[in-house]
Amino acid sequence: MLEEKWWERSVVYQIYPRSFCDSNGDGVGDINGIRSKLWYLKKLGVDVIWLSPIYPSPNADNGYDISDYRGVSPEYGTMEDMKRFIQECEDSDISIMMDLVVNHTSDEHPWFVEAKSSLNSPYRDYYIWRKGKAGQVPNDLQSDFGGSAWEYSEETGEYYLHFYHKKQPDLNWENENMRAEIWKMMNHWIDMEIKGFRMDVIDVIGKDPDKKIKENGPKLHAYLQEMNRETFGGKDMMTVGECWGADTKIGRAYSDPERKELDMIFQFEQMQADQIPGKQKWDLRPLDLVYLKHTFAKWQKELEGKGWNSLFWNSHDLPRIVSRWGNDKEYRVESAKMLATALHGMKGTPYIYQGEEIGMTNYPFSGIEDLVDVETLNAYQERKAQGFPEEEIMRSLCAKARDNARTPMQWDDSPEGGFTKGSPWYRVNPNYKEINAKRALEDKGSVFYHYQKLIALRKEEPLLVHGTFELLCPEDRHVFAYVREWKCKKWLIICNFYEGPTEFSYPGKGRTILSNYEQGEEVLLEHIQLRPYEAVICEVM
Ligand code: NOJ
């Protein structure tokens, strides 16, 4: 067996700085706010913070449009605050994983400002420029945020490529000097003792726009191997690539340690379990549990011994899982715990998104005027233009908009949920009086303590880290159950995704390890009546 890596036993907590905790009352979360909550993360037991971008940015896409890779946005604090934060994390045994957004920069990054000014700029080739065709865009490539991926630039009369917002021009990874600048920048952060990188849409860097290739371009893996060699390789750091277009074969290519690329990827196949196949995320279908289970099982099996999975339900790009696949009304606590159990029982590195650990829910948006995210607003316009009825558009946006994840963290029942003393940059969910961290910490039966137990279990039990995975009852439409096995020990994880009672059976008896309802020490597995959203982890005897 390969030597165990520290991140195989770790649990990651994602912080979206803008919405986490505001220390100075300007309504925007900041680094000192995060510092003031390190005790909370310590209590939860997480090992790594994935810090969404804190760099200077015009905020066309909330920080994913970076204008200075080495700085700290004044909204979030100073470099001194950042250094203190890094030091305090180190003292608390928490690693920081920085967000690395190098598929594109902001159009206000000095490279782009230079590049667009003249055809002869030394930075011109850092980006991707094409002449128009008969006064039209070079080709029909589309931006993820809607509309053409090409934007005309008056200064030089050419178009530049942007797969996201037009204020996020794509970098040209073919350019060696540009790559060298990126390596220098990464090494700068490594020298500042950060312990990892989460790589934004990294599967797009190998694009070939003339062949209309976006993800998984021909040179993608060569670039990642070069990055590994030139920066973090051999440094015992943690790297995860965001890859929307990966299948298991591609997942192995990234995360097979022998290939020296990344440690793991975020792939999103399972997150399509409530989307009409082949359509957009806004085209809703009820959760297809059978699809969800098969997808998880496929990734668990096909990366076994050959790569590593990341496990997540949530991020700043996804709606709140308890509203999505649980029940955020009468079974909020039970279903949030069940979902946590289903995920944390598997093999891989679990990620928790801020607020997930207290069962935060989607926002009850009443109309388009409540929403602010660039992707959401563009989707609204696009669907309107396509003739979708307002009601249907709003149903999709309420279910899937990224805005759901970005409402401020609910700390207590004081005004604005204790997130800020000022006026928050974005609306706080009105349920903050009931759902908040303070209340969760006071209640031993809260979602928080369930997450705390799951995190602790991963530390205590090598089976959770290394055990094999076997899916049970694959066609059952209510129950997600699987077996983990390691060195003659067998654990059974049973999760009822249904809001009514459901039956489940497995030979023999089990010793209860963790559950979300009152549960005896021993479970008769042959005939279990699962309660709504019940989840049990037990050792098979
Ligand atoms: C993925 C990020 O997670 C998302 O928030 C962002 O809008 C796009 N990449 C573009 O950077």
Side-chain angles (χ1 to χ4, degrees):
M1 197 188 81
L2 289 168
E3 189 194 330
E4 183 180 300
K5 302 283 196 339
W6 61 273
W7 40 260
E8 292 177 346
R9 195 178 280 269
S10 297
V11 176
V12 183
Y13 188 90
Q14 184 192 351
I15 291 183
Y16 193 66
R18 211 172 182 73
S19 302
F20 190 63
C21 179
D22 173 22
S23 71
N24 62 1
D26 66 357
V28 174
D30 47 44
I31 294 170
N32 288 339
I34 304 174
R35 288 175 57 210
S36 74
K37 299 294 184 189
L38 274 182
W39 65 270
Y40 171 82
L41 302 182
K42 212 49 212 163
K43 189 170 174 98
L44 183 60
V46 296
D47 315 84
V48 182
I49 292 174
W50 153 18
L51 189 64
S52 278
I54 44 87
Y55 316 97
S57 162
N59 282 323
D61 185 18
N62 279 2
Y64 283 88
D65 47 322
I66 298 173
S67 52
D68 172 7
Y69 283 120
R70 293 171 188 234
V72 169
S73 164
E75 284 187 304
Y76 297 134
T78 63
M79 189 50 85
E80 280 315 303
D81 297 332
M82 187 64 195
K83 285 184 181 157
R84 273 185 225 116
F85 173 51
I86 295 174
Q87 186 58 50
E88 285 166 5
C89 283
E90 203 170 318
D91 298 344
S92 318
D93 227 359
I94 292 180
S95 304
I96 299 179
M97 187 162 77
M98 297 290 275
D99 219 309
L100 182 78
V101 189
V102 290
N103 174 64
H104 44 266
T105 66
S106 161
D107 66 339
E108 296 180 33
H109 191 290
W111 296 344
F112 190 76
V113 174
E114 267 281 324
K116 75 168 182 188
S117 70
S118 142
L119 291 170
N120 303 319
S121 158
Y123 293 98
R124 183 76 178 175
D125 190 48
Y126 276 29
Y127 296 87
I128 298 171
W129 302 92
R130 295 287 183 272
K131 291 192 172 35
K133 285 210 176 118
Q136 298 294 316
V137 289
N139 62 29
D140 61 357
L141 277 175
Q142 294 291 299
S143 149
D144 264 25
F145 293 159
S148 170
W150 297 102
E151 181 72 13
Y152 185 69
S153 177
E154 293 264 325
E155 286 91 333
T156 54
E158 289 186 352
Y159 291 82
Y160 65 87
L161 181 75
H162 63 91
F163 275 126
Y164 301 90
H165 195 280
K166 64 177 182 205
K167 283 184 70 63
Q168 292 169 301
D170 274 55
L171 284 165
N172 175 19
W173 276 72
E174 299 267 353
N175 186 298
E176 254 176 69
N177 295 340
M178 192 284 290
R179 296 205 302 278
E181 298 249 25
I182 300 287
W183 311 152
K184 263 197 270 166
M185 176 273 285
M186 290 174 71
N187 285 327
H188 166 79
W189 284 105
I190 295 173
D191 291 343
M192 284 181 65
E193 300 289 327
I194 63 107
K195 298 291 187 311
F197 292 108
R198 173 269 182 187
M199 303 181 185
D200 193 68
V201 289
I202 203 69
D203 59 347
V204 182
I205 63 172
K207 69 209 102 187
D208 183 339
D210 302 314
K211 295 201 186 100
K212 297 204 223 166
I213 297 175
K214 181 181 174 201
E215 283 118 352
N216 305 313
K219 296 196 190 146
L220 170 63
H221 293 281
Y223 294 148
L224 289 175
Q225 285 165 8
E226 184 179 324
M227 178 190 279
N228 182 308
R229 262 194 325 273
E230 298 291 331
T231 65
F232 52 80
K235 295 214 171 73
D236 200 21
M237 296 177 64
M238 169 177 178
T239 52
V240 52
E242 185 197 27
C243 303
W244 288 82
D247 57 20
T248 48
K249 188 161 164 257
I250 297 174
R252 282 199 301 267
Y254 285 107
S255 64
D256 177 351
E258 293 192 352
R259 291 173 51 93
K260 295 198 175 16
E261 295 186 20
L262 306 178
D263 295 324
M264 66 192 97
I265 62 164
F266 290 126
Q267 58 79 22
F268 294 84
E269 209 181 329
Q270 70 276 358
M271 299 321 283
Q272 291 163 25
D274 58 1
Q275 158 184 339
I276 299 178
K279 295 254 189 143
Q280 289 186 303
K281 75 177 195 183
W282 312 112
D283 298 299
L284 311 177
R285 64 167 165 164
L287 169 65
D288 180 343
L289 185 67
V290 172
Y291 170 95
L292 183 78
K293 298 193 293 188
H294 280 269
T295 310
F296 270 131
K298 181 174 72 179
W299 280 88
Q300 290 280 305
K301 294 294 249 189
E302 294 186 19
L303 261 60
E304 176 70 56
K306 302 185 191 99
W308 193 254
N309 275 297
S310 54
L311 307 168
F312 65 93
W313 288 131
N314 273 118
S315 77
H316 64 295
D317 292 334
L318 301 168
R320 295 277 176 188
I321 196 63
V322 69
S323 302
R324 187 174 186 181
W325 295 339
N327 174 324
D328 62 8
K329 309 247 158 18
E330 57 176 317
Y331 294 114
R332 185 184 68 86
V333 170
E334 291 81 358
S335 64
K337 291 180 182 176
M338 181 281 288
L339 287 158
T341 310
L343 195 78
H344 286 240
M346 284 186 277
K347 183 168 183 168
T349 300
Y351 289 72
I352 300 168
Y353 178 68
Q354 64 187 43
E356 177 186 336
E357 77 284 5
I358 55 169
M360 274 176 62
T361 65
N362 278 355
Y363 189 94
F365 299 113
S366 49
I368 189 65
E369 59 289 347
D370 288 354
L371 295 142
V372 294
D373 175 45
V374 47
E375 182 196 54
T376 312
L377 299 181
N378 287 349
Y380 178 81
Q381 293 306 343
E382 209 161 72
R383 297 224 144 196
K384 271 266 167 210
Q386 288 162 0
F388 283 88
E390 175 83 13
E391 211 176 286
E392 191 181 330
I393 302 177
M394 282 315 296
R395 203 173 327 115
S396 297
L397 299 187
C398 288
K400 292 280 185 73
R402 308 196 296 184
D403 310 68
N404 283 302
R406 300 175 180 190
T407 63
M409 177 72 187
Q410 295 162 210
W411 291 106
D412 57 38
D413 59 4
S414 67
E416 310 303 354
F419 161 71
T420 178
K421 295 255 180 295
S423 164
W425 76 274
Y426 194 43
R427 44 189 73 226
V428 175
N429 195 309
N431 62 20
Y432 72 88
K433 291 215 160 117
E434 185 208 335
I435 304 171
N436 62 62
K438 179 162 176 274
R439 195 160 165 179
L441 290 172
E442 286 162 0
D443 171 8
K444 284 288 163 213
S446 70
V447 179
F448 180 93
Y449 289 111
H450 194 80
Y451 270 88
Q452 189 190 51
K453 284 181 205 144
L454 284 167
I455 297 168
L457 261 189
R458 184 162 291 266
K459 308 256 172 309
E460 291 156 16
E461 188 46 72
L463 173 143
L464 270 187
V465 180
H466 302 294
T468 54
F469 172 99
E470 201 60 57
L471 182 66
L472 302 175
C473 55
E475 302 309 317
D476 190 300
R477 288 171 37 244
H478 294 157
V479 180
F480 181 17
Y482 53 87
V483 173
R484 301 288 311 275
E485 209 167 344
W486 178 247
K487 296 197 170 162
C488 307
K489 212 183 204 182
K490 214 179 196 185
W491 280 19
L492 185 57
I493 289 96
I494 316 164
C495 296
N496 181 13
F497 271 69
Y498 179 56
E499 61 192 2
T502 306
E503 304 219 321
F504 175 80
S505 78
Y506 189 81
K509 278 195 252 169
R511 182 180 63 81
T512 309
I513 291 167
L514 186 66
S515 60
N516 63 347
Y517 278 85
E518 282 290 306
Q519 193 67 258
E521 251 179 59
E522 220 176 78
V523 205
L524 282 175
L525 296 171
E526 263 158 43
H527 228 71
I528 315 185
Q529 266 277 356
L530 294 167
R531 289 160 277 191
Y533 298 106
E534 182 158 7
V536 188
I537 301 184
C538 61
E539 180 167 352
V540 181
M541 303 197 293

Short mmCIF file of all heavy atoms in Angstrom, two decimals, residues 184-207:
data_model
loop_
_atom_site.label_atom_id
_atom_site.label_comp_id
_atom_site.label_asym_id
_atom_site.label_seq_id
_atom_site.Cartn_x
_atom_site.Cartn_y
_atom_site.Cartn_z
N LYS A 184 5.88 31.50 -10.73
CA LYS A 184 6.51 32.40 -9.75
C LYS A 184 5.49 32.82 -8.69
O LYS A 184 5.79 32.85 -7.51
CB LYS A 184 7.05 33.65 -10.46
CG LYS A 184 8.53 33.56 -10.78
CD LYS A 184 9.10 34.93 -11.09
CE LYS A 184 8.99 35.22 -12.58
NZ LYS A 184 9.19 36.55 -13.02
N MET A 185 4.32 33.16 -9.17
CA MET A 185 3.26 33.60 -8.25
C MET A 185 2.89 32.47 -7.27
O MET A 185 2.75 32.67 -6.07
CB MET A 185 2.07 34.05 -9.09
CG MET A 185 0.84 34.45 -8.35
SD MET A 185 -0.25 33.10 -7.95
CE MET A 185 -1.02 32.75 -9.54
N MET A 186 2.77 31.25 -7.79
CA MET A 186 2.42 30.13 -6.90
C MET A 186 3.52 29.90 -5.87
O MET A 186 3.25 29.69 -4.69
CB MET A 186 2.18 28.85 -7.73
CG MET A 186 0.92 28.92 -8.57
SD MET A 186 0.74 27.51 -9.68
CE MET A 186 0.36 26.19 -8.53
N ASN A 187 4.76 29.99 -6.35
CA ASN A 187 5.88 29.78 -5.40
C ASN A 187 5.94 30.87 -4.35
O ASN A 187 6.33 30.62 -3.21
CB ASN A 187 7.20 29.68 -6.17
CG ASN A 187 7.31 28.34 -6.86
OD1 ASN A 187 6.82 27.33 -6.33
ND2 ASN A 187 7.90 28.31 -8.04
N HIS A 188 5.51 32.05 -4.72
CA HIS A 188 5.45 33.15 -3.75
C HIS A 188 4.50 32.78 -2.60
O HIS A 188 4.82 32.94 -1.42
CB HIS A 188 4.99 34.41 -4.49
CG HIS A 188 4.57 35.53 -3.63
ND1 HIS A 188 5.48 36.36 -3.01
CD2 HIS A 188 3.34 35.95 -3.24
CE1 HIS A 188 4.82 37.26 -2.30
NE2 HIS A 188 3.53 37.03 -2.41
N TRP A 189 3.33 32.25 -2.93
CA TRP A 189 2.38 31.86 -1.88
C TRP A 189 2.89 30.64 -1.11
O TRP A 189 2.69 30.53 0.10
CB TRP A 189 0.99 31.60 -2.47
CG TRP A 189 0.28 32.88 -2.80
CD1 TRP A 189 0.07 33.42 -4.03
CD2 TRP A 189 -0.30 33.81 -1.86
NE1 TRP A 189 -0.60 34.62 -3.92
CE2 TRP A 189 -0.85 34.88 -2.61
CE3 TRP A 189 -0.43 33.84 -0.47
CZ2 TRP A 189 -1.50 35.97 -2.02
CZ3 TRP A 189 -1.07 34.92 0.13
CH2 TRP A 189 -1.59 35.97 -0.64
N ILE A 190 3.55 29.74 -1.83
CA ILE A 190 4.11 28.57 -1.14
C ILE A 190 5.14 29.04 -0.11
O ILE A 190 5.18 28.56 1.03
CB ILE A 190 4.73 27.56 -2.15
CG1 ILE A 190 3.63 26.99 -3.04
CG2 ILE A 190 5.49 26.46 -1.43
CD1 ILE A 190 4.11 26.11 -4.18
N ASP A 191 5.95 30.03 -0.50
CA ASP A 191 6.94 30.56 0.44
C ASP A 191 6.27 31.22 1.64
O ASP A 191 6.87 31.36 2.69
CB ASP A 191 7.85 31.59 -0.25
CG ASP A 191 8.76 30.92 -1.27
OD1 ASP A 191 8.91 29.69 -1.20
OD2 ASP A 191 9.30 31.63 -2.14
N MET A 192 5.04 31.66 1.44
CA MET A 192 4.32 32.25 2.58
C MET A 192 3.63 31.18 3.44
O MET A 192 2.80 31.49 4.29
CB MET A 192 3.27 33.25 2.08
CG MET A 192 3.91 34.56 1.66
SD MET A 192 2.67 35.75 1.12
CE MET A 192 1.77 36.04 2.62
N GLU A 193 3.98 29.92 3.16
CA GLU A 193 3.53 28.80 4.00
C GLU A 193 2.07 28.42 3.81
O GLU A 193 1.44 27.92 4.76
CB GLU A 193 3.77 29.08 5.50
CG GLU A 193 5.21 29.31 5.88
CD GLU A 193 6.04 28.03 5.81
OE1 GLU A 193 5.50 26.95 6.08
OE2 GLU A 193 7.23 28.13 5.44
N ILE A 194 1.53 28.69 2.64
CA ILE A 194 0.20 28.12 2.44
C ILE A 194 0.39 26.65 2.04
O ILE A 194 1.47 26.27 1.54
CB ILE A 194 -0.64 28.93 1.43
CG1 ILE A 194 -0.01 28.91 0.07
CG2 ILE A 194 -0.82 30.37 1.88
CD1 ILE A 194 -0.74 28.07 -0.86
N LYS A 195 -0.61 25.83 2.29
CA LYS A 195 -0.39 24.39 2.20
C LYS A 195 -1.10 23.71 1.03
O LYS A 195 -1.09 22.49 0.92
CB LYS A 195 -0.85 23.72 3.51
CG LYS A 195 -0.08 24.17 4.74
CD LYS A 195 1.36 23.67 4.68
CE LYS A 195 2.20 23.90 5.91
NZ LYS A 195 2.19 25.23 6.48
N GLY A 196 -1.74 24.53 0.19
CA GLY A 196 -2.39 23.87 -0.93
C GLY A 196 -3.06 24.85 -1.87
O GLY A 196 -3.15 26.05 -1.59
N PHE A 197 -3.53 24.30 -3.00
CA PHE A 197 -4.25 25.12 -3.97
C PHE A 197 -5.52 24.39 -4.40
O PHE A 197 -5.49 23.20 -4.70
CB PHE A 197 -3.41 25.35 -5.23
CG PHE A 197 -2.21 26.23 -5.00
CD1 PHE A 197 -0.93 25.67 -5.00
CD2 PHE A 197 -2.34 27.59 -4.78
CE1 PHE A 197 0.19 26.48 -4.79
CE2 PHE A 197 -1.23 28.40 -4.58
CZ PHE A 197 0.04 27.84 -4.58
N ARG A 198 -6.59 25.16 -4.47
CA ARG A 198 -7.82 24.69 -5.13
C ARG A 198 -7.83 25.41 -6.48
O ARG A 198 -7.75 26.62 -6.54
CB ARG A 198 -9.03 25.06 -4.28
CG ARG A 198 -10.38 24.77 -4.95
CD ARG A 198 -10.88 25.96 -5.75
NE ARG A 198 -12.18 25.71 -6.35
CZ ARG A 198 -12.77 26.53 -7.21
NH1 ARG A 198 -12.22 27.67 -7.54
NH2 ARG A 198 -13.95 26.24 -7.72
N MET A 199 -7.86 24.67 -7.55
CA MET A 199 -7.64 25.27 -8.86
C MET A 199 -8.94 25.44 -9.63
O MET A 199 -9.56 24.47 -10.05
CB MET A 199 -6.66 24.40 -9.64
CG MET A 199 -5.37 24.25 -8.87
SD MET A 199 -4.20 23.27 -9.77
CE MET A 199 -2.90 23.18 -8.55
N ASP A 200 -9.29 26.67 -9.79
CA ASP A 200 -10.53 27.06 -10.46
C ASP A 200 -10.54 26.59 -11.92
O ASP A 200 -9.56 26.81 -12.65
CB ASP A 200 -10.61 28.59 -10.41
CG ASP A 200 -11.97 29.12 -10.80
OD1 ASP A 200 -12.91 28.89 -10.03
OD2 ASP A 200 -12.08 29.77 -11.85
N VAL A 201 -11.65 26.00 -12.34
CA VAL A 201 -11.84 25.49 -13.72
C VAL A 201 -10.53 25.12 -14.42
O VAL A 201 -10.27 25.52 -15.55
CB VAL A 201 -12.65 26.48 -14.59
CG1 VAL A 201 -14.10 26.50 -14.14
CG2 VAL A 201 -12.11 27.90 -14.60
N ILE A 202 -9.75 24.29 -13.74
CA ILE A 202 -8.42 23.99 -14.25
C ILE A 202 -8.48 23.16 -15.53
O ILE A 202 -7.56 23.16 -16.34
CB ILE A 202 -7.55 23.31 -13.16
CG1 ILE A 202 -6.07 23.50 -13.45
CG2 ILE A 202 -7.92 21.85 -12.97
CD1 ILE A 202 -5.56 24.90 -13.31
N ASP A 203 -9.60 22.47 -15.73
CA ASP A 203 -9.68 21.64 -16.94
C ASP A 203 -9.89 22.46 -18.21
O ASP A 203 -9.92 21.92 -19.31
CB ASP A 203 -10.76 20.56 -16.82
CG ASP A 203 -12.15 21.11 -16.56
OD1 ASP A 203 -12.27 22.31 -16.23
OD2 ASP A 203 -13.12 20.33 -16.69
N VAL A 204 -9.98 23.79 -18.05
CA VAL A 204 -10.18 24.64 -19.23
C VAL A 204 -8.86 25.22 -19.75
O VAL A 204 -8.78 25.71 -20.86
CB VAL A 204 -11.19 25.77 -18.89
CG1 VAL A 204 -11.47 26.65 -20.09
CG2 VAL A 204 -12.51 25.18 -18.39
N ILE A 205 -7.78 25.12 -18.94
CA ILE A 205 -6.55 25.83 -19.35
C ILE A 205 -5.96 25.30 -20.66
O ILE A 205 -5.26 26.02 -21.35
CB ILE A 205 -5.46 25.86 -18.24
CG1 ILE A 205 -4.98 24.45 -17.89
CG2 ILE A 205 -5.95 26.61 -17.00
CD1 ILE A 205 -3.78 24.45 -16.94
N GLY A 206 -6.24 24.05 -20.99
CA GLY A 206 -5.67 23.48 -22.22
C GLY A 206 -6.54 23.71 -23.45
O GLY A 206 -6.42 23.02 -24.45
N LYS A 207 -7.39 24.71 -23.39
CA LYS A 207 -8.37 25.00 -24.46
C LYS A 207 -7.72 25.16 -25.84
O LYS A 207 -6.55 25.57 -25.94
CB LYS A 207 -9.13 26.28 -24.11
CG LYS A 207 -8.27 27.54 -24.19
CD LYS A 207 -8.70 28.65 -23.23
CE LYS A 207 -7.80 28.69 -22.04
NZ LYS A 207 -8.10 29.54 -20.95
#
